[in-house]
Amino acid sequence: MMKQVQKKIIIMALRAGEIMMKSGAEIYRVEDTISRICKACGIPYVEVFVTPTGIFLSLDEGGENSEMFTFLKRINGTGTDLGKISQINQFSRDFVNTDLSIEDGMKRLKEIAKSKPYNLWIRALGAALACAFFCLMFQGTLQDFVCAFAIGAASYLLSVGFEQFETNYFIKGFCCTAFAAFLALLCTAAGLGDSSGPITIGALMLFVPGVAITNAIRDFLASDMLSGLARTAEAFFIAISLATGAGVVMRLWVLFGGNIL
Amino acid sequence: MIYFLQLIFGIVSTVGFAILFHVPKKNIFISALVGGIGWVVFAYCRNEYGGPLLGCFLAACMVGLLAGIFSRVYKETATVFTIPGIIPLVPGAGMYYTTLYLINGQLEKAATTGTQTLLMAGSISVGLLVVGSFFKVHYRLTGTVKRIIEKM
């Protein structure tokens, strides 16, 4: 029979790992956190194997007659929430250094899992700022800046809408950049912006796979080749979805007799 | 003066991304500063010295270095600074121009720009990799030195 305490430890460690993976942490950090939590609970033998889609965890008490437990946790969906990663990091540090009970630990984990990102309108404002200033960085004019501000917010809200319906990342990237490119071309044609190029680049930057690239490299660095390759592939496909989204709209625009300024 | 303006642009756009990525409130400005400095390094190299590839490499090194230092100072995971910091460097413009040339049927130009875009993404990675390995070696060395001193 499995001891209740061990089960609780496993559940807590896997929960922490799951939150981290879903928030876009690197593999080695997740493995490290899980094995630290287990070792702090006095389990001598801990073996963790984390991939972007699942966590495997084996525990053994050591000794001749002790049983070994292996658990597997499937992880669906990824996102980026650096706040959660930072909080879990703090949690594991506290859990190891102070004698926090397992129940209290679970309570804290639940709070962390529930913590929400910034308010939707603040995020939309952030997207608008990012888009508008990227437009300036790529030689956009002041008129482009205003267009990019609106288009950035609009396309970000669209992407949030797609996330609500849990569509896959390819369709999301495709539709959002197509929408943004269309609006940019429309604004330029209507004379609101000077050139659609910088505006579209600004909107593209919102969806660019920077997180996937960064994490892929950190995984390679920690010699987690499997997840490094998986994340490189992820970055590559996101890039393709963005390029095709913008490309199809621009091509259709030209076919229907528009000019790309 | 141009670069001061670029620094401001870089900082503000990284603030936008820091909000999207839910960076903790107290660290938003610092991660934005990292992003802004990285962007200025890139812009300077692109315009005056060495071209975009070297620019991406050096800027990524800069971001990695600053993130490593700030993560120590503020007791925060380095990811919180690296991910928003690296975003301005990701070659979104290269992607756009590659697509633009492709739909206009200028395949040669598309191939040139596309290759450069891929290489830029690669050199960002290599920059982060180099600094990351440096930090790893550094921590291991300081750890060993500390242990030796304690033994003596």
Side-chain angles (χ1 to χ4, degrees), chain A residues 57 59 79 81 91 134 143 170 208 216-217 228 242:
Chain A
L57 172 63
L59 298 183
D81 192 327
F91 164 75
F134 272 120
Q143 276 173 307
F170 197 91
V208 134
I217 297 315
L242 303 188

Side-chain angles (χ1 to χ4, degrees), chain A:
Chain A
M1 273 301 288
M2 183 179 195
K3 283 182 203 151
Q4 286 301 309
V5 184
Q6 276 178 330
K7 194 173 175 183
K8 275 182 189 161
I9 295 169
I10 288 180
I11 290 172
M12 186 174 70
L14 281 179
R15 189 90 186 93
E18 190 195 357
I19 297 173
M20 285 186 98
M21 275 316 294
K22 279 192 174 168
S23 312
E26 313 94 297
I27 298 295
Y28 79 88
R29 197 185 297 284
V30 179
E31 289 182 347
D32 192 55
T33 307
I34 291 179
S35 65
R36 261 169 208 258
I37 289 177
C38 291
K39 285 203 168 128
C41 294
I43 291 172
Y45 175 84
V46 185
E47 201 63 56
V48 213
F49 176 58
V50 178
T51 70
T53 48
I55 301 177
F56 304 79
L57 172 63
S58 274
L59 298 183
D60 194 354
E61 290 246 278
E64 289 272 306
N65 298 320
S66 69
E67 281 178 79
M68 183 187 256
F69 303 110
T70 300
F71 265 68
L72 191 145
K73 178 93 193 157
R74 179 76 168 89
I75 294 167
N76 287 314
T78 52
T80 312
D81 192 327
L82 299 176
K84 276 185 190 166
I85 296 180
S86 156
Q87 274 174 311
I88 295 257
N89 210 42
Q90 189 62 42
F91 164 75
S92 84
R93 211 176 285 159
D94 288 353
F95 190 81
V96 172
N97 292 334
T98 60
D99 41 330
L100 204 67
S101 78
I102 296 171
E103 279 77 20
D104 288 345
M106 264 323 267
K107 246 183 232 162
R108 250 186 90 175
L109 274 184
K110 269 182 194 152
E111 270 166 31
I112 294 174
K114 266 191 214 153
S115 73
K116 291 235 160 56
Y118 292 114
N119 186 306
L120 180 66
W121 299 111
I122 294 181
R123 274 184 291 155
L125 178 71
L129 277 181
C131 181
F133 278 89
F134 272 120
C135 172
L136 283 186
M137 278 148 84
F138 292 102
Q139 277 90 38
T141 57
L142 222 66
Q143 276 173 307
D144 296 341
F145 175 82
V146 178
C147 293
F149 194 84
I151 291 173
S155 54
Y156 180 72
L157 288 177
L158 184 70
S159 83
V160 172
F162 272 108
E163 269 161 30
Q164 293 292 318
F165 292 113
E166 291 180 0
T167 41
N168 71 21
Y169 67 92
F170 197 91
I171 295 294
K172 193 181 96 182
F174 183 90
C175 292
C176 290
T177 47
F179 177 69
F182 179 67
L183 282 186
L185 288 169
L186 212 62
C187 281
T188 339
L192 289 172
D194 287 326
S195 55
S196 64
I199 305 177
T200 317
I201 293 173
L204 272 180
M205 291 302 284
L206 287 180
F207 304 104
V208 134
V211 183
I213 293 178
T214 322
N215 275 338
I217 297 315
R218 303 196 123 219
D219 289 344
F220 276 130
L221 188 66
S223 44
D224 293 314
M225 297 300 170
L226 191 65
S227 49
L229 280 179
R231 278 171 164 161
T232 314
E234 188 193 344
F236 193 68
F237 279 107
I238 293 176
I240 287 179
S241 79
L242 303 188
T244 42
V248 165
V249 166
M250 290 190 316
R251 182 74 193 148
L252 284 176
W253 185 266
V254 174
L255 277 182
F256 284 112
N259 284 323
I260 294 177
L261 295 168

Side-chain angles (χ1 to χ4, degrees), chain B residues 37-70:
Chain B
I37 291 174
W39 171 254
V40 168
V41 171
F42 170 72
Y44 180 78
C45 287
R46 183 190 59 188
N47 296 343
E48 329 243 331
Y49 187 74
L53 277 183
L54 184 72
C56 262
F57 174 76
L58 290 180
C61 285
M62 196 65 181
V63 169
L65 192 70
L66 289 176
I69 294 170
F70 284 135

Side-chain angles (χ1 to χ4, degrees), chain B residues 139-152:
Chain B
Y139 290 145
R140 195 154 293 168
L141 270 183
T142 45
T144 322
V145 170
K146 255 184 202 165
R147 242 171 286 142
I148 292 172
I149 291 173
E150 273 168 18
K151 266 184 192 169
M152 279 161 49

